[in-house]
Amino acid sequence: MTLPDIKDTDCLLIIDVQKDFCTGGSLAVPDAEAILPWINTNGEHFNNIVLTQDWHPAGHSSFASVHDKQAPFDTITMPYGDQMLWPDHCVQGTDGAHFHDELKTTAAQLVIRKGFRTDIDSYSAFYENDHVTTTGLSGYLKERGVQRVFCVGLALDYCVRFSALDARREGFETVVVEAGCRGINANGSNDDAREAMQSAGVQLL
Ligand code: VGL
Ligand code: ZN
């Protein structure tokens, strides 16, 4: 996969490449490690690199374990809309919340942590799942003159999908590099994600 020419106004957004989403983790994404070579190699071309880190308090409302009679991958209704329930994952300060050991993180300027409010989940790097509460990332990127955002990471059908849609909504040219992404793909959700991103004007590479 060849990248277009990378400019100073481009940013690489590396989403949730954390141990719990990789092999052996509590919410492992199939084949997650396969994204590391692309990210580590191509990351060198970017002047701007932002990492996100899913960062939940213990007992987070997106965990099936805190709801009576619910199992992971069930959907419940929260005040802000439908919410898929997950196994406990990326609990603040635990080993599973750390970035994958082989992810090169030194060149990143910013780590955005998300999902740290007990009552609301946050898939997107830009907005929590109410689509109103901002993480501040859009303002950060705009103040630094970023015009185009390249999204990679985990999972294609959740956090990458919603980050890319919000990047587009915030007016950034948005590219999702599939070689740098893997999805959970429950019930064909990878294809749903591709369709949603494409019809919103996100470029899939
Ligand atoms: C994610 C489910 C729950 C993700 C995070 O990074 O895609 N998915 N929390
Ligand atoms: Zn999460």
Side-chain angles (χ1 to χ4, degrees):
M1 208 287 309
T2 40
L3 270 180
D5 276 346
I6 299 305
K7 301 176 257 188
D8 285 351
T9 50
D10 290 333
C11 177
L12 180 64
L13 180 60
I14 305 176
I15 297 159
D16 296 2
V17 184
Q18 293 166 262
K19 292 186 183 183
D20 269 344
F21 297 124
C22 296
T23 303
S26 61
L27 181 43
V29 176
D31 202 28
E33 293 72 25
I35 70 177
L36 289 165
W38 191 95
I39 296 176
N40 286 337
T41 306
N42 290 281
E44 291 175 6
H45 303 302
F46 288 83
N47 282 334
N48 305 299
I49 302 178
V50 173
L51 304 173
T52 71
Q53 193 170 25
D54 213 33
W55 194 250
H56 300 305
H60 190 257
S61 57
S62 74
F63 296 169
S65 61
V66 307
H67 300 274
D68 277 346
K69 299 183 194 134
Q70 302 288 351
F73 309 104
D74 287 350
T75 301
I76 62 165
T77 306
M78 298 283 273
Y80 54 82
D82 283 354
Q83 173 69 49
M84 170 89 77
L85 296 177
W86 306 104
D88 290 21
H89 65 279
C90 298
V91 174
Q92 296 171 0
T94 62
D95 190 55
H98 291 161
F99 294 117
H100 190 285
D101 287 335
E102 283 158 39
L103 179 70
K104 286 191 190 166
T105 61
T106 35
Q109 291 96 2
L110 178 70
V111 177
I112 288 274
R113 287 175 167 168
K114 60 184 183 62
F116 51 74
R117 293 184 177 87
T118 301
D119 295 334
I120 182 168
D121 204 4
S122 186
Y123 295 149
S124 163
F126 293 89
Y127 288 92
E128 302 195 7
N129 285 9
D130 60 1
H131 304 293
V132 175
T133 310
T134 169
T135 65
L137 179 58
S138 183
Y140 171 86
L141 294 176
K142 284 173 185 168
E143 285 197 19
R144 297 199 46 228
V146 168
Q147 294 174 2
R148 184 167 59 168
V149 177
F150 287 78
C151 302
V152 293
L154 306 169
L156 175 71
D157 40 351
Y158 288 93
C159 291
V160 174
R161 169 186 179 164
F162 289 100
S163 296
L165 291 176
D166 281 345
R168 195 65 211 101
R169 186 159 71 117
E170 287 296 310
F172 299 101
E173 239 183 283
T174 308
V175 183
V176 168
V177 185
E178 288 217 35
C181 301
R182 288 295 182 277
I184 296 169
N185 204 24
N187 314 312
S189 48
N190 280 355
D191 279 341
D192 292 349
R194 289 186 184 101
E195 233 176 83
M197 291 190 287
Q198 254 164 346
S199 52
V202 172
Q203 190 190 343
L204 298 187
L205 272 192

